[in-house]
Amino acid sequence: PEELRASLFETFAAASVKVNDARKDGLGGTITVVAPTEAKGLEFDAVVVVEPAAVAAEDAHGPRQLYIAFTRTTGHLAVV
């Protein structure tokens, strides 16, 4: 969810984990943070969906965005 995006990057930085921000840098890198709206039509080997209830509650299109997030993986899906 949008409300957790900044803290997600802070958590990765605190753990010295390099991540790519799809909004600033495009796709690439080992870990890329991508919102469901940015992932529509794309596929990934593995997807981690963070706080799905918050994603669904973000706006009127939340349930659709959650569906998009859940269906972007070709291999592994984790929900936290």
Side-chain angles (χ1 to χ4, degrees), residues 8-67:
L8 182 64
F9 284 106
E10 292 170 7
T11 301
F12 279 126
S16 299
V17 175
K18 185 178 180 196
V19 296
N20 189 46
D21 184 349
R23 290 184 183 166
K24 295 178 183 176
D25 309 313
L27 299 175
T30 303
I31 299 173
T32 302
V33 176
V34 182
T37 55
E38 301 158 347
K40 186 175 179 182
L42 301 174
E43 292 182 336
F44 301 94
D45 294 332
V47 171
V48 178
V49 178
V50 178
E51 293 294 339
V55 173
E58 278 189 319
D59 61 33
H61 300 290
R64 181 183 306 159
Q65 299 307 318
L66 189 57
Y67 173 81

Side-chain angles (χ1 to χ4, degrees), residues 44-48 72-78:
F44 301 94
D45 294 332
V47 171
V48 178
R72 297 304 90 201
T73 184
T74 61
H76 304 281
L77 174 64

